DNA sequence: CCTGCCGGGGG
DNA sequence: CCCCCGGCAGG
């Protein structure tokens, strides 16, 4: 009698906070559907996938709704963050409008060069719950001053004259060498790496990846309780930017068709692409958003991340690959460059797993003779 | 050989 | 879009 109200309140709050978990519900439900369907109609496997994608979108929307409806509990921000915010916001704007952005070649932790992932494939480590984040969290902690995400400097590759394939390899190697250097000696002074929130109408800029992630997590995703937990989603809503504190020379040099010296991105391939599936992977290892794998691999050749800077409005859904393209561009595709096929996955594929007889159990991609989405290497 | 899957084409 | 499949290329 006296506590009903209290309880209600409690529940309400709980629900909203937990919304993200809805995802699992969706999937679970779907799975059941699938199972029942499986016994009847062939071809549902692929529908399952469709649904899956849809679910993700749904979830996405829900989150947005939640984050805007709920008055997100005052996320705790460090005063540092706040200051950064203001001071840099202006800088960012200026720099954005003045020159093309140049991503700092992120200093890659060795692990990423030969870790559990390779060439765009990313195998979530099963040993730790945070495995999916191997690049993100760790690099952040150990390297507070360096950008962690696979960021890229973008554009110049686009200007390169399409040369033969060997060239690509060459470049990749060169890049790798450069990684060892602390930083591309050319222009590193007075460069500040910041992270900008891409959430609609936000544009917050923080100095650390961790900071921006937390920001997104708490403010936009409405995950307040679990400040540590991260399914990687935040990464979709921020991008790295470089602030030139003293000149514009930077922007110019980046435009120069001949500045391979700069193009020294960590061999950090399409890992982002995996991100979308990260959450799913937890429960459903075999499912992932379409394109997540193949798209990025192809796109990084063409993409200039400007589009994304300007219109951070879109969400990750299907085009997951694109969203993060900005980060991926600079990263030199390991040993593959232009027109070269990607190394070909080696893991089991639908065809092998289910056999020709059960073709209808294959993932859509496999059925279409595309890169398998279910058993990613 | 077999197999993954790109590129391209048809509905 | 969704779907197929020729044919190339790695193993």
């Amino acid at each position: 009698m006296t506590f009903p109200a209290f309880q209600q309140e409690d529940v309400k709050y709980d629900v909203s906070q937990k919304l993200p978990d809805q995802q699992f519900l969706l999937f679970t439900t779907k799975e059941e559907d699938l199972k029942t369907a499986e016994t009847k109609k062939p071809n549902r496997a692929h529908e399952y996938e469709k649904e899956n994608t849809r679910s993700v979108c749904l979830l996405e929307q829900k989150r947005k709704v939640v984050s805007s409806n709920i008055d997100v509990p005052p996320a705790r921000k460090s005063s540092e963050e706040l200051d950064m915010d203001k001071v840099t916001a202006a800088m960012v704007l200026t720099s954005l409008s003045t020159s093309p952005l140049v991503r700092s070649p992120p200093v890659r932790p060795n692990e990423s060069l030969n870790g559990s992932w390779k060439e765009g494939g990313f195998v979530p480590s099963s040993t730790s719950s945070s495995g999916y984040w191997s690049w993100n969290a760790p690099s952040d902690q150990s390297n507070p001053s360096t950008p962690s995400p696979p960021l890229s400097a973008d554009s110049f590759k686009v200007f390169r004259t399409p040369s033969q394939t060997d060239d690509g390899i060459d470049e990749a190697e060169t890049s790798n060498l450069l990684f060892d250097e602390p930083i591309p000696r050319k222009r590193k002074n007075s460069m500040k790496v910041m992270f900008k929130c891409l959430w609609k109408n936000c544009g917050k800029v923080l100095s650390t990846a961790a900071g921006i992630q937390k920001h997104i997590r708490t403010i936009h995703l409405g995950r307040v309780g679990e400040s540590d937990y991260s399914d990687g989603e935040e990464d979709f809503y921020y991008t790295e930017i470089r602030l030139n504190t003293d000149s514009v020379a930077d922007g110019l040099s980046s435009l120069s068709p001949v500045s391979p010296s700069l193009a020294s991105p960590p061999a950090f391939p399409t890992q982002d692409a995996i991100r979308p599936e990260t959450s799913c992977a937890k429960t459903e290892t075999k499912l992932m958003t379409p394109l997540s794998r193949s798209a990025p691999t192809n796109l990084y050749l063409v993409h200039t991340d400007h589009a994304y800077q300007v219109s951070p409005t879109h969400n990750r859904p299907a085009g997951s690959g694109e969203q993060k393209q900005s980060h991926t561009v600079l990263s030199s595709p390991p040993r593959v460059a232009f027109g070269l096929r990607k190394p070909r996955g080696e893991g089991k594929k639908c065809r092998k797993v289910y056999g020709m007889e059960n073709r209808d159990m294959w993932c859509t991609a496999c059925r279409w003779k595309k890169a398998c989405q279910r058993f990613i290497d």
Side-chain angles (χ1 to χ4, degrees):
Chain A
M1 283 147 216
T2 49
F3 45 87
F6 178 76
Q7 279 183 329
Q8 265 193 339
E9 188 78 31
D10 204 26
V11 171
K12 200 167 164 192
Y13 182 82
D14 188 47
V15 168
S16 37
Q17 290 310 307
K18 282 283 201 271
L19 225 173
D21 289 337
Q22 205 70 19
Q23 179 175 5
F24 298 124
L25 275 182
L26 284 165
F27 288 149
T28 312
T29 314
K30 246 352 292 182
E31 177 137 12
E32 281 165 7
D33 286 353
L34 173 65
K35 288 209 171 127
T36 35
E38 200 128 32
T39 52
K40 306 168 188 169
K41 220 178 190 170
N43 211 28
R44 64 297 169 180
H46 121 250
E47 256 152 32
Y48 181 16
E49 282 179 349
K50 274 191 207 161
E51 280 307 323
N52 184 40
T53 314
R54 215 167 290 147
S55 300
V56 174
C57 298
L58 259 177
L59 169 66
E60 198 56 47
Q61 291 181 336
K62 269 184 196 153
R63 277 187 187 150
K64 293 221 155 165
V65 174
V66 174
S67 56
S68 52
N69 285 343
I70 292 181
D71 236 356
V72 180
R76 77 156 194 60
K77 308 176 188 174
S78 66
S79 53
E80 174 211 36
E81 280 180 14
L82 286 173
D83 288 343
M84 260 332 191
D85 202 15
K86 291 173 188 168
V87 177
T88 51
M91 300 174 70
V92 176
L93 287 177
T94 330
S95 107
L96 279 178
S97 57
T98 331
S99 58
L101 300 179
V102 179
R103 262 65 238 243
S104 70
V107 180
R108 299 261 16 103
N110 318 326
E111 36 158 322
S112 39
L113 288 176
N114 42 26
S116 43
W117 60 274
K118 44 188 166 180
E119 201 282 310
F122 176 74
V123 182
S125 136
S126 50
T127 39
S128 73
S129 52
S130 56
Y132 323 91
W133 284 106
S134 54
W135 64 265
N136 200 354
S139 70
D140 220 333
Q141 264 117 22
S142 53
N143 258 335
S145 54
T146 27
S148 45
L151 291 173
S152 41
D154 22 57
S155 358
F156 24 82
K157 286 214 172 183
V158 179
F159 297 108
R160 284 183 69 247
T161 23
S163 40
Q164 335 95 312
T165 47
D166 319 348
D167 207 329
I169 295 176
D170 240 325
E171 183 172 274
E173 245 135 50
T174 311
S175 308
N176 278 328
L177 289 179
L178 286 173
F179 300 163
D180 290 341
E181 299 180 33
I183 301 179
R185 55 306 181 188
K186 213 169 170 180
R187 65 308 187 17
K188 60 172 180 182
N189 46 354
S190 66
M191 276 313 249
K192 180 87 176 153
V193 180
M194 303 294 275
F195 298 86
K196 181 182 183 185
C197 176
L198 293 178
W199 199 274
K200 197 163 7 176
N201 299 329
C202 179
K204 186 178 183 67
V205 176
L206 296 180
S207 56
T208 65
I212 199 70
Q213 279 168 29
K214 194 198 298 173
H215 156 81
I216 293 166
R217 216 180 300 134
T218 55
I219 304 293
H220 302 304
L221 297 182
R223 297 179 189 167
V224 188
E226 28 187 9
S227 51
D228 284 331
Y229 170 75
S230 152
D231 66 355
E233 169 133 35
E234 314 87 42
D235 201 54
F236 285 96
Y237 302 111
Y238 76 89
T239 189
E240 182 186 287
I241 54 177
R242 285 192 116 215
L243 299 182
N244 192 347
T245 347
D246 63 355
S247 77
V248 199
D250 200 69
L252 296 177
S253 64
S254 78
L255 278 179
S256 161
V258 214
S259 53
S261 51
L262 298 180
S264 49
F268 214 86
T270 52
Q271 183 168 4
D272 307 78
I274 285 70
R275 198 72 30 71
E277 136 254 47
T278 306
S279 48
C280 316
K282 282 184 250 166
T283 32
E284 278 289 316
T285 322
K286 51 178 181 176
L287 294 176
M288 66 183 295
T289 358
L291 291 185
S292 51
R293 177 177 150 80
S294 50
T297 322
N298 301 325
L299 289 177
Y300 63 71
L301 302 176
V302 203
H303 172 73
T304 14
D305 81 340
H306 272 41
Y308 301 100
Q309 289 297 323
V310 184
S311 58
T313 44
H314 63 273
N315 290 323
R316 142 188 73 158
S320 54
E322 320 174 328
Q323 169 76 51
K324 283 301 271 186
Q325 222 41 46
S326 51
H327 288 221
T328 317
V329 178
L330 218 207
S331 54
S332 78
R335 68 197 110 277
V336 189
F338 299 78
L340 259 202
R341 283 199 169 200
K342 67 179 171 191
R344 152 189 268 226
E346 47 172 282
K348 287 206 179 296
K349 297 294 191 266
C350 294
R351 180 205 286 250
K352 218 175 273 175
V353 172
Y354 302 110
M356 276 305 248
E357 327 75 71
N358 300 311
R359 188 150 183 261
D360 47 273
M361 292 179 72
W362 300 5
C363 70
T364 4
C366 277
R367 262 181 293 121
W368 299 347
K369 293 223 262 177
K370 297 295 184 201
C372 179
Q373 301 177 337
R374 188 169 299 165
F375 305 100
I376 304 119
D377 326 278

